[in-house]
Amino acid sequence: MGRIDYIGVVFLSLFGVVGLSEAQLQQGFYAKSCPRAEKIVLDYVNKHIHNAPSLAASFLRMHFHDCFVRGCDASVLLNSTGNPERNAVPNQTLTGASFDFIERVKRLVEDECPGIVSCADILTLVARDSIVATGGPSWKVPTGRRDGRVSIRAEAQNNIPAPTNNFTLLQRSFANQGLDLKDLVLLSGAHTIGVSHCTSVSSRLYNFTGVGDQDPALDSEYAANLKARKCRTPNDNTTLLEMDPGSRKTFDLSYYNLLLKRRGLFVSDASLTTNSFTLSLVKQLLQGSSENFFAEFAKSVEKMGRNKVKTGSEGEIRKRCAFVN
């Protein structure tokens, strides 16, 4: 997730959009039109996610990236336009296996109820169910989203928060989606699982201000370890890095502990400690329980999942998630 000075204006103006969409989503939207839909998704996830548990982090990231571009409309899944979102740099960490997994679930649901359940809802459900199956929090997923028909690489490049973003850029990016500083801290907590690449941190290690220097905000011992054992050259674009070293498979509070030790991997992680309000939230989370973190994370990811969704007659219900009808 490897951007609010004008929050008052932006957040309030977007609240009406989010609120309107939210009103048209509902729990059990498919109860009559496709009553087994959510169970089909859940059963497939529970059967297969343990063969590749790292996909859970990928699905959560995919859900996040989808919602930050044109709302949660499965535009990230499209591969039928000239230069779609999935080609953008932020989405190059999404594996082919994760896209294939979503397509397999979609085929099963289509076999049961052709043309009823959207790819946007399937992605949202898979993200939640896979995180739960691998020991993370659960959250409510009201359904009724419809699929978008447009996917543009440049929009993903411009709207998905980058690991190199400072606090100001993160604040603005989240405000553009109707999300506040509390959501920023909590959704960043998803970095407790999964991996990234050296390209996301190379500038911090080797050329932070353009003169071959290292980011002074990064713990020097941690930086030396990364240089010696992982990102040995500034141009390494293949080596994988744990975003929460030693705990990347466990959805827990460890990520926030690392922030206070100046060991957040990205500039965007470190930026959470540069603002008094977000730093206070980080400390409050660490003083609380894992159960509290799970409950607070659930509220923010639910909120994000209602962002600018298409409902009613907007968009379409794709037959295949990678292609418009």
Side-chain angles (χ1 to χ4, degrees), residues 59 62 76-78 86 91 94-104:
F59 292 137
M62 184 182 285
V76 70
L77 301 176
L78 282 173
R86 66 161 73 185
N91 289 328
L94 302 176
T95 65
S98 57
F99 289 101
D100 292 342
F101 191 104
I102 298 293
E103 287 288 3
R104 289 197 294 271

PDB file of all heavy atoms in Angstrom, residues 59 62 76-78 86 91 94-104:
ATOM      1  N   PHE A  59      -4.497  -9.889  -1.912  1.00  0.00           N
ATOM      2  CA  PHE A  59      -5.913  -9.563  -2.106  1.00  0.00           C
ATOM      3  C   PHE A  59      -6.303  -8.288  -1.362  1.00  0.00           C
ATOM      4  O   PHE A  59      -7.070  -7.463  -1.872  1.00  0.00           O
ATOM      5  CB  PHE A  59      -6.798 -10.717  -1.649  1.00  0.00           C
ATOM      6  CG  PHE A  59      -6.685 -11.948  -2.491  1.00  0.00           C
ATOM      7  CD1 PHE A  59      -6.612 -13.208  -1.912  1.00  0.00           C
ATOM      8  CD2 PHE A  59      -6.649 -11.863  -3.876  1.00  0.00           C
ATOM      9  CE1 PHE A  59      -6.505 -14.345  -2.689  1.00  0.00           C
ATOM     10  CE2 PHE A  59      -6.544 -12.996  -4.667  1.00  0.00           C
ATOM     11  CZ  PHE A  59      -6.471 -14.237  -4.068  1.00  0.00           C
ATOM     12  N   MET A  62      -4.888  -5.472  -3.305  1.00  0.00           N
ATOM     13  CA  MET A  62      -5.664  -5.312  -4.534  1.00  0.00           C
ATOM     14  C   MET A  62      -6.965  -4.565  -4.254  1.00  0.00           C
ATOM     15  O   MET A  62      -7.366  -3.679  -5.019  1.00  0.00           O
ATOM     16  CB  MET A  62      -5.965  -6.703  -5.125  1.00  0.00           C
ATOM     17  CG  MET A  62      -6.690  -6.682  -6.454  1.00  0.00           C
ATOM     18  SD  MET A  62      -7.056  -8.367  -7.041  1.00  0.00           S
ATOM     19  CE  MET A  62      -5.446  -8.909  -7.598  1.00  0.00           C
ATOM     20  N   VAL A  76      -9.314  -2.509 -11.272  1.00  0.00           N
ATOM     21  CA  VAL A  76      -7.956  -3.045 -11.178  1.00  0.00           C
ATOM     22  C   VAL A  76      -7.831  -4.410 -11.840  1.00  0.00           C
ATOM     23  O   VAL A  76      -6.743  -4.829 -12.240  1.00  0.00           O
ATOM     24  CB  VAL A  76      -7.516  -3.132  -9.693  1.00  0.00           C
ATOM     25  CG1 VAL A  76      -8.275  -4.229  -8.954  1.00  0.00           C
ATOM     26  CG2 VAL A  76      -6.012  -3.362  -9.585  1.00  0.00           C
ATOM     27  N   LEU A  77      -8.953  -5.115 -11.997  1.00  0.00           N
ATOM     28  CA  LEU A  77      -8.924  -6.453 -12.575  1.00  0.00           C
ATOM     29  C   LEU A  77      -8.942  -6.447 -14.098  1.00  0.00           C
ATOM     30  O   LEU A  77      -8.607  -7.460 -14.727  1.00  0.00           O
ATOM     31  CB  LEU A  77     -10.119  -7.272 -12.075  1.00  0.00           C
ATOM     32  CG  LEU A  77     -10.238  -7.463 -10.557  1.00  0.00           C
ATOM     33  CD1 LEU A  77     -11.526  -8.209 -10.229  1.00  0.00           C
ATOM     34  CD2 LEU A  77      -9.032  -8.212 -10.019  1.00  0.00           C
ATOM     35  N   LEU A  78      -9.322  -5.332 -14.699  1.00  0.00           N
ATOM     36  CA  LEU A  78      -9.472  -5.279 -16.154  1.00  0.00           C
ATOM     37  C   LEU A  78      -8.130  -5.387 -16.871  1.00  0.00           C
ATOM     38  O   LEU A  78      -7.148  -4.783 -16.479  1.00  0.00           O
ATOM     39  CB  LEU A  78     -10.174  -3.989 -16.577  1.00  0.00           C
ATOM     40  CG  LEU A  78     -11.687  -3.949 -16.389  1.00  0.00           C
ATOM     41  CD1 LEU A  78     -12.218  -2.549 -16.683  1.00  0.00           C
ATOM     42  CD2 LEU A  78     -12.381  -4.980 -17.275  1.00  0.00           C
ATOM     43  N   ARG A  86      -3.723  -2.342 -13.958  1.00  0.00           N
ATOM     44  CA  ARG A  86      -2.841  -3.410 -13.479  1.00  0.00           C
ATOM     45  C   ARG A  86      -1.412  -3.244 -14.000  1.00  0.00           C
ATOM     46  O   ARG A  86      -0.478  -3.849 -13.461  1.00  0.00           O
ATOM     47  CB  ARG A  86      -3.394  -4.796 -13.805  1.00  0.00           C
ATOM     48  CG  ARG A  86      -3.464  -5.147 -15.279  1.00  0.00           C
ATOM     49  CD  ARG A  86      -3.577  -6.670 -15.465  1.00  0.00           C
ATOM     50  NE  ARG A  86      -4.878  -7.189 -15.112  1.00  0.00           N
ATOM     51  CZ  ARG A  86      -5.166  -8.495 -15.114  1.00  0.00           C
ATOM     52  NH1 ARG A  86      -4.253  -9.384 -15.438  1.00  0.00           N
ATOM     53  NH2 ARG A  86      -6.377  -8.905 -14.802  1.00  0.00           N
ATOM     54  N   ASN A  91       0.739  -1.503  -8.947  1.00  0.00           N
ATOM     55  CA  ASN A  91       0.061  -2.792  -9.085  1.00  0.00           C
ATOM     56  C   ASN A  91       0.966  -3.906  -9.579  1.00  0.00           C
ATOM     57  O   ASN A  91       0.527  -5.047  -9.733  1.00  0.00           O
ATOM     58  CB  ASN A  91      -1.142  -2.641 -10.017  1.00  0.00           C
ATOM     59  CG  ASN A  91      -2.254  -1.842  -9.380  1.00  0.00           C
ATOM     60  OD1 ASN A  91      -2.445  -1.888  -8.158  1.00  0.00           O
ATOM     61  ND2 ASN A  91      -2.992  -1.083 -10.183  1.00  0.00           N
ATOM     62  N   LEU A  94       1.147  -6.941  -7.425  1.00  0.00           N
ATOM     63  CA  LEU A  94       0.014  -7.870  -7.404  1.00  0.00           C
ATOM     64  C   LEU A  94       0.352  -9.034  -8.328  1.00  0.00           C
ATOM     65  O   LEU A  94       0.615  -8.844  -9.511  1.00  0.00           O
ATOM     66  CB  LEU A  94      -1.265  -7.172  -7.864  1.00  0.00           C
ATOM     67  CG  LEU A  94      -1.680  -5.937  -7.056  1.00  0.00           C
ATOM     68  CD1 LEU A  94      -2.908  -5.285  -7.681  1.00  0.00           C
ATOM     69  CD2 LEU A  94      -1.950  -6.296  -5.604  1.00  0.00           C
ATOM     70  N   THR A  95       0.332 -10.236  -7.812  1.00  0.00           N
ATOM     71  CA  THR A  95       0.785 -11.391  -8.578  1.00  0.00           C
ATOM     72  C   THR A  95      -0.276 -11.889  -9.553  1.00  0.00           C
ATOM     73  O   THR A  95      -1.474 -11.699  -9.348  1.00  0.00           O
ATOM     74  CB  THR A  95       1.149 -12.552  -7.631  1.00  0.00           C
ATOM     75  OG1 THR A  95      -0.049 -12.995  -6.956  1.00  0.00           O
ATOM     76  CG2 THR A  95       2.180 -12.110  -6.609  1.00  0.00           C
ATOM     77  N   GLY A  96       0.206 -12.541 -10.609  1.00  0.00           N
ATOM     78  CA  GLY A  96      -0.711 -13.158 -11.561  1.00  0.00           C
ATOM     79  C   GLY A  96      -1.605 -14.177 -10.887  1.00  0.00           C
ATOM     80  O   GLY A  96      -2.771 -14.343 -11.257  1.00  0.00           O
ATOM     81  N   ALA A  97      -1.059 -14.851  -9.870  1.00  0.00           N
ATOM     82  CA  ALA A  97      -1.838 -15.859  -9.145  1.00  0.00           C
ATOM     83  C   ALA A  97      -3.051 -15.239  -8.466  1.00  0.00           C
ATOM     84  O   ALA A  97      -4.113 -15.872  -8.370  1.00  0.00           O
ATOM     85  CB  ALA A  97      -0.958 -16.548  -8.106  1.00  0.00           C
ATOM     86  N   SER A  98      -2.919 -13.998  -8.001  1.00  0.00           N
ATOM     87  CA  SER A  98      -4.051 -13.362  -7.322  1.00  0.00           C
ATOM     88  C   SER A  98      -5.158 -13.020  -8.315  1.00  0.00           C
ATOM     89  O   SER A  98      -6.343 -13.193  -8.021  1.00  0.00           O
ATOM     90  CB  SER A  98      -3.590 -12.117  -6.561  1.00  0.00           C
ATOM     91  OG  SER A  98      -2.948 -11.196  -7.406  1.00  0.00           O
ATOM     92  N   PHE A  99      -4.782 -12.557  -9.516  1.00  0.00           N
ATOM     93  CA  PHE A  99      -5.788 -12.299 -10.550  1.00  0.00           C
ATOM     94  C   PHE A  99      -6.463 -13.603 -10.984  1.00  0.00           C
ATOM     95  O   PHE A  99      -7.686 -13.651 -11.173  1.00  0.00           O
ATOM     96  CB  PHE A  99      -5.144 -11.618 -11.763  1.00  0.00           C
ATOM     97  CG  PHE A  99      -4.733 -10.196 -11.529  1.00  0.00           C
ATOM     98  CD1 PHE A  99      -3.407  -9.866 -11.282  1.00  0.00           C
ATOM     99  CD2 PHE A  99      -5.675  -9.175 -11.553  1.00  0.00           C
ATOM    100  CE1 PHE A  99      -3.015  -8.547 -11.069  1.00  0.00           C
ATOM    101  CE2 PHE A  99      -5.302  -7.848 -11.343  1.00  0.00           C
ATOM    102  CZ  PHE A  99      -3.968  -7.538 -11.098  1.00  0.00           C
ATOM    103  N   ASP A 100      -5.685 -14.664 -11.142  1.00  0.00           N
ATOM    104  CA  ASP A 100      -6.240 -15.964 -11.546  1.00  0.00           C
ATOM    105  C   ASP A 100      -7.204 -16.500 -10.498  1.00  0.00           C
ATOM    106  O   ASP A 100      -8.246 -17.087 -10.831  1.00  0.00           O
ATOM    107  CB  ASP A 100      -5.114 -16.974 -11.771  1.00  0.00           C
ATOM    108  CG  ASP A 100      -4.260 -16.639 -12.978  1.00  0.00           C
ATOM    109  OD1 ASP A 100      -4.707 -15.857 -13.838  1.00  0.00           O
ATOM    110  OD2 ASP A 100      -3.128 -17.171 -13.071  1.00  0.00           O
ATOM    111  N   PHE A 101      -6.861 -16.329  -9.236  1.00  0.00           N
ATOM    112  CA  PHE A 101      -7.700 -16.792  -8.133  1.00  0.00           C
ATOM    113  C   PHE A 101      -9.076 -16.133  -8.210  1.00  0.00           C
ATOM    114  O   PHE A 101     -10.115 -16.801  -8.103  1.00  0.00           O
ATOM    115  CB  PHE A 101      -7.016 -16.440  -6.811  1.00  0.00           C
ATOM    116  CG  PHE A 101      -7.613 -17.071  -5.583  1.00  0.00           C
ATOM    117  CD1 PHE A 101      -6.985 -18.150  -4.966  1.00  0.00           C
ATOM    118  CD2 PHE A 101      -8.775 -16.575  -5.006  1.00  0.00           C
ATOM    119  CE1 PHE A 101      -7.513 -18.711  -3.805  1.00  0.00           C
ATOM    120  CE2 PHE A 101      -9.313 -17.127  -3.859  1.00  0.00           C
ATOM    121  CZ  PHE A 101      -8.676 -18.207  -3.255  1.00  0.00           C
ATOM    122  N   ILE A 102      -9.098 -14.816  -8.416  1.00  0.00           N
ATOM    123  CA  ILE A 102     -10.366 -14.090  -8.515  1.00  0.00           C
ATOM    124  C   ILE A 102     -11.187 -14.601  -9.696  1.00  0.00           C
ATOM    125  O   ILE A 102     -12.410 -14.802  -9.586  1.00  0.00           O
ATOM    126  CB  ILE A 102     -10.119 -12.575  -8.663  1.00  0.00           C
ATOM    127  CG1 ILE A 102      -9.404 -11.999  -7.440  1.00  0.00           C
ATOM    128  CG2 ILE A 102     -11.441 -11.840  -8.916  1.00  0.00           C
ATOM    129  CD1 ILE A 102     -10.214 -12.001  -6.166  1.00  0.00           C
ATOM    130  N   GLU A 103     -10.538 -14.861 -10.820  1.00  0.00           N
ATOM    131  CA  GLU A 103     -11.250 -15.365 -12.001  1.00  0.00           C
ATOM    132  C   GLU A 103     -11.862 -16.738 -11.743  1.00  0.00           C
ATOM    133  O   GLU A 103     -12.978 -17.029 -12.196  1.00  0.00           O
ATOM    134  CB  GLU A 103     -10.318 -15.432 -13.209  1.00  0.00           C
ATOM    135  CG  GLU A 103      -9.964 -14.085 -13.813  1.00  0.00           C
ATOM    136  CD  GLU A 103     -11.117 -13.423 -14.564  1.00  0.00           C
ATOM    137  OE1 GLU A 103     -12.240 -13.969 -14.594  1.00  0.00           O
ATOM    138  OE2 GLU A 103     -10.898 -12.323 -15.109  1.00  0.00           O
ATOM    139  N   ARG A 104     -11.157 -17.582 -11.009  1.00  0.00           N
ATOM    140  CA  ARG A 104     -11.693 -18.917 -10.709  1.00  0.00           C
ATOM    141  C   ARG A 104     -12.924 -18.822  -9.816  1.00  0.00           C
ATOM    142  O   ARG A 104     -13.902 -19.542 -10.015  1.00  0.00           O
ATOM    143  CB  ARG A 104     -10.608 -19.791 -10.053  1.00  0.00           C
ATOM    144  CG  ARG A 104      -9.505 -20.209 -11.016  1.00  0.00           C
ATOM    145  CD  ARG A 104      -8.704 -21.370 -10.464  1.00  0.00           C
ATOM    146  NE  ARG A 104      -7.960 -21.010  -9.270  1.00  0.00           N
ATOM    147  CZ  ARG A 104      -6.728 -20.516  -9.277  1.00  0.00           C
ATOM    148  NH1 ARG A 104      -6.107 -20.289 -10.427  1.00  0.00           N
ATOM    149  NH2 ARG A 104      -6.107 -20.222  -8.145  1.00  0.00           N
TER     150      ARG A 104
END
